[in-house]
């Protein structure tokens, strides 16, 4: 039974070692990505442009 416990502990350690760098990179990149996404367009929020209005009209059957 001790072999099974040792294998499970080793497996958990290997999973942690594999996931830690990926999680760290995601956390480090998240604020930078959020800042560039909001400032890239200059305007925030929903904008209803002419092609969107035409699409809505086509859905209503107009």
């Amino acid at each position: 039974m001790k072999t099974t416990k040792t294998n499970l502990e080793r497996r958990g350690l290997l999973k942690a070692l594999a996931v830690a760098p990926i999680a760290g990179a995601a956390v480090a990149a998240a604020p930078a990505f959020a800042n560039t996404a909001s400032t890239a367009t200059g305007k925030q929020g929903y904008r209803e442009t002419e092609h969107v209005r035409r699409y809505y009209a086509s859905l209503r059957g107009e």
Side-chain angles (χ1 to χ4, degrees), residues 4-56:
T4 304
K5 184 176 179 182
T6 304
N7 286 341
L8 290 176
E9 289 174 357
R10 185 179 305 151
R11 191 174 299 159
L13 175 67
L14 292 174
K15 285 181 184 178
L17 290 174
V19 172
I22 297 169
V27 169
F33 179 72
N35 288 339
T36 58
S38 65
T39 59
T41 59
K43 294 183 180 180
Q44 294 180 348
Y46 176 77
R47 293 182 304 152
E48 189 174 312
T49 59
E50 185 58 35
H51 75 280
V52 173
R53 287 186 208 104
R54 285 193 309 261
Y55 175 72
Y56 289 157

Side-chain angles (χ1 to χ4, degrees), residues 54-62:
R54 285 193 309 261
Y55 175 72
Y56 289 157
S58 72
L59 292 177
R60 290 189 300 263
E62 296 176 1

